[in-house]
């Protein structure tokens, strides 16, 4: 980690402030985000991350600075007030991607979030519990068949990716005969070995948009009570409440973001327990610990490590550094969750820890709407897995590869033995 351990004070930085610099694509960061950021945190509360094109993003390393940055109204998804929506033909796939509540600012964000909030309340989430239980049971039956001869099975491929995808498709109302494209997306998202390309992901994204538009048209002809049906009704019942591109974009992000966090929660949670048998024994002996254990899994190893980017809409101060308008700020949820000032002995898994306050679902107005559903999915998925396979263990030498990029913290594969 030469760039971080031998970091230089760089007076030529964007603000001329001498803040140290590290390379965002440093191989050591890709290999072990937590160790990398621990070393950064020891040296400075804030760094410049240099991108391959030479541009730099400000990166705070401590929990409190990252939390406060989420609350700063000057730090926005976009630096200037948003223009009125244009058609997707004018902006292509990325215009569609930029019209949903995750990447918009008030007042648009407020309007879009209000539209979706009713679908993700605790009451609505509880209504899905029987389906989550049934889906987990079905997938565990298939998993048992895969490993019945004692051979290793990939828990990510056959369980962690499958359960959340089935459930989010059902919530939105995507029929089984239209789900293949979403399976293709999930496989592409995991392939960083050369088989997947930016163009490949974009091609799949266009196919997803086509499916969504077909489903929207069908719901206009035949209204339904699923989430997409409700969104279409809101779009058509009150002109101007939801534009067509906002409708398409929001459905797109609900599908994609609605399952990837849960995938990481299941994979990382199981991996953490298999690496820490004493903690596994605690939750197996006392299932009432599982809700708190899920919070600890979310804190200990979130599926997205470097994810929240904000743009300064005006000069402001972040972690003691004054930045100009238009300066990107990169907020690391994983780094915040391992700050020992906030979570003592932060690098140790402790299912009895009070892990409330972790930033895995974001913070402030962009806190993840789907958090209650993800928590329930994680608790059921991991709990039922341990009940069904009490002898579950890592296969081979126990080495688990992660998707090789600095953004994600999701296992690429999780090879296990069931018996």
């Amino acid at each position: 980690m030469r760039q971080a351990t031998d970091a230089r004070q760089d007076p030529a930085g964007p603000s001329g402030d001498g803040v140290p610099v590290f390379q965002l694509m440093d191989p050591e960061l890709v290999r072990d985000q937590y160790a990398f950021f621990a070393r950064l945190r020891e040296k400075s509360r804030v760094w410049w991350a240099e991108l391959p094109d030479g541009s730099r993003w400000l990166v705070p390393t401590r929990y409190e600075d990252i939390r406060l940055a989420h609350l700063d109204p000057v730090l926005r998804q976009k630096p200037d007030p948003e223009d009125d929506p244009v058609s997707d033909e004018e902006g292509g796939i990325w215009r569609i991607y930029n019209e949903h509540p995750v990447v918009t600012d008030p007042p648009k964000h407020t309007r879009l979030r209000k539209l979706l909030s009713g679908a993700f309340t605790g009451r609505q989430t509880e209504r899905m519990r029987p389906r989550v239980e049934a889906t987990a049971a079905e997938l565990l039956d298939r998993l048992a068949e895969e490993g019945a001869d004692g051979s290793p099975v990939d828990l990510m491929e056959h369980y962690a990716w499958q359960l959340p995808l089935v459930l989010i498709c059902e919530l939105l109302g995507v029929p089984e005969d239209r789900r293949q494209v979403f399976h293709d997306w999930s496989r592409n998202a995991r392939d960083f070995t050369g088989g997947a390309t930016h163009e490949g992901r974009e091609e799949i994204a266009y196919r997803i948009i086509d499916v969504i538009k077909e489903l929207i048209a069908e719901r206009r002809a035949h209204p339904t009570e699923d989430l997409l049906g409700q969104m279409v009704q809101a779009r058509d019942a009150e002109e101007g409440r939801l534009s067509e591109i906002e409708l398409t974009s929001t459905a797109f992000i609900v599908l994609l973001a609605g399952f990837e966090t849960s995938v990481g929660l299941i994979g990382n949670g199981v991996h953490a327990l298999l690496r820490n048998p004493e903690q596994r024994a605690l939750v197996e002996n006392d299932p009432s610990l599982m809700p708190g254990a899920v919070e600890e899994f979310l804190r200990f190893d979130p599926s997205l490590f470097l994810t929240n980017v904000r743009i300064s809409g005006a000069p402001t101060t972040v972690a003691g550094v004054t930045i100009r308008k238009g300066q990107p700020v990169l907020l690391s949820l994983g780094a915040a969750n391992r700050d020992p000032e906030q979570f003592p002995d932060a690098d140790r898994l402790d299912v009895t820890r009070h892990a409330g306050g972790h930033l895995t679902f974001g913070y402030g107005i962009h806190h993840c709407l789907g958090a209650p559903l993800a928590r329930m999915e994680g608790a059921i998925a991991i709990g039922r897995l341990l009940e069904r396979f009490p002898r579950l263990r890592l296969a081979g030498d126990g080495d688990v590869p992660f998707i090789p990029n600095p953004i994600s913290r999701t296992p690429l594969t999780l090879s296990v033995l069931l018996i």
Side-chain angles (χ1 to χ4, degrees):
M1 190 175 125
R2 186 183 68 252
Q3 292 88 347
T5 54
D6 297 332
R8 52 196 168 86
Q9 300 295 313
D10 189 354
S15 302
D17 47 32
V19 171
V21 180
F22 73 91
Q23 301 301 315
L24 187 61
M25 298 309 294
D26 189 314
E28 289 297 314
L29 175 57
V30 176
R31 187 185 65 81
D32 188 342
Q33 293 103 317
Y34 295 113
F36 189 94
F37 263 80
R39 291 190 286 267
L40 295 185
R41 191 186 301 113
E42 289 175 0
K43 289 180 174 292
S44 176
R45 64 188 284 200
V46 63
W47 291 69
W48 290 113
E50 187 167 273
L51 280 65
D53 65 2
S55 62
R56 290 176 179 174
W57 294 1
L58 195 71
V59 183
T61 63
R62 299 178 184 174
Y63 176 94
E64 189 61 12
D65 290 329
I66 295 169
R67 185 187 72 85
L68 291 175
H70 279 90
L71 298 177
D72 188 343
V74 171
L75 297 179
R76 302 169 57 86
Q77 299 289 345
K78 301 179 178 67
D80 297 305
E82 299 176 58
D83 297 327
D84 292 333
V86 298
S87 69
D88 52 302
E89 287 77 10
E90 292 180 75
I93 190 66
W94 303 116
R95 181 59 181 176
I96 292 177
Y97 185 75
N98 282 306
E99 294 296 337
H100 57 76
V102 177
V103 294
T104 53
D105 299 301
K108 177 184 288 189
H109 169 269
T110 307
R111 174 170 54 84
L112 296 177
R113 187 179 178 93
K114 184 178 180 181
L115 178 67
L116 285 175
S117 60
F120 294 100
T121 63
R123 178 178 298 179
Q124 289 295 99
T125 297
E126 278 302 310
R127 289 180 180 176
M128 291 194 67
R129 182 176 293 275
R131 187 60 189 128
V132 178
E133 295 272 11
T135 303
E138 293 169 9
L139 291 172
L140 289 172
D141 285 343
R142 297 179 197 171
L143 193 66
E145 294 176 3
E146 288 286 337
D149 61 354
S151 60
V153 295
D154 182 2
L155 199 69
M156 299 305 297
E157 175 67 27
H158 297 289
Y159 191 58
W161 280 96
Q162 300 299 323
L163 177 64
L165 185 55
V166 169
L167 293 172
I168 201 65
C169 282
E170 292 195 359
L171 176 66
L172 204 58
V174 181
E176 288 191 25
D177 62 358
R178 311 282 186 87
R179 295 179 186 176
Q180 183 56 50
V181 65
F182 305 106
H183 288 283
D184 293 344
W185 176 276
S186 73
R187 291 191 183 94
N188 190 282
R190 287 172 272 169
D191 186 359
F192 281 80
T193 61
T197 63
H198 174 79
E199 290 75 20
R201 286 188 286 275
E202 185 170 318
E203 179 183 351
I204 296 172
Y206 272 113
R207 289 166 51 204
I208 291 174
I209 293 298
D210 288 341
V211 170
I212 290 173
K213 288 181 176 180
E214 291 171 3
L215 294 173
I216 289 172
E218 291 172 7
R219 277 151 181 75
R220 285 204 168 102
H222 305 285
T224 61
E225 293 303 316
D226 54 52
L227 179 57
L228 184 57
Q230 295 174 33
M231 291 166 60
V232 171
Q233 291 173 37
R235 155 67 177 150
D236 295 345
E238 190 174 330
E239 187 63 33
R241 185 180 182 190
L242 187 67
S243 72
E244 194 69 14
I245 193 172
E246 288 170 347
L247 171 60
T248 305
S249 180
T250 301
F252 182 83
I253 198 61
V254 166
L255 274 166
L256 299 186
F259 76 89
E260 290 189 346
T261 299
S262 296
V263 169
L265 168 56
I266 296 169
N268 289 338
V270 172
H271 178 240
L273 287 179
L274 296 182
R275 292 286 192 193
N276 295 271
E278 74 290 347
Q279 299 298 308
R280 173 183 176 174
L282 288 174
V283 295
E284 287 182 323
N285 294 332
D286 184 1
S288 70
L289 291 175
M290 185 56 76
V294 166
E295 295 305 310
E296 176 68 347
F297 301 149
L298 288 163
R299 180 205 70 84
F300 182 73
D301 205 3
S303 59
L304 292 173
F305 188 91
L306 285 169
T307 179
N308 287 359
V309 179
R310 298 291 187 267
I311 309 295
S312 179
T316 191
T317 299
V318 177
V321 176
T322 301
I323 57 174
R324 56 178 170 73
K325 177 180 179 179
Q327 175 62 55
V329 178
L330 182 60
L331 304 176
S332 172
L333 307 181
N337 289 348
R338 291 287 188 98
D339 184 348
E341 291 295 317
Q342 181 67 22
F343 300 102
D345 203 6
D347 290 329
R348 182 175 69 89
L349 179 75
D350 180 1
V351 298
T352 66
R353 182 198 303 270
H354 178 65
H358 67 74
L359 301 185
T360 296
F361 291 118
Y363 197 75
I365 64 172
H366 286 91
H367 183 270
C368 177
L369 275 171
L373 180 59
R375 288 183 167 105
M376 184 178 71
E377 288 180 22
I380 291 174
I382 298 172
R384 298 300 174 267
L385 176 71
L386 296 178
E387 291 174 6
R388 182 69 178 274
F389 304 109
R391 299 175 62 187
L392 181 74
R393 62 193 187 279
L394 292 170
D397 60 6
D399 184 42
V400 174
F402 284 76
I403 295 176
N405 68 68
I407 305 299
S408 173
R409 274 293 302 176
T410 299
L412 186 62
T413 61
L414 187 56
S415 184
V416 298
L417 297 170
L418 306 178
I419 58 176

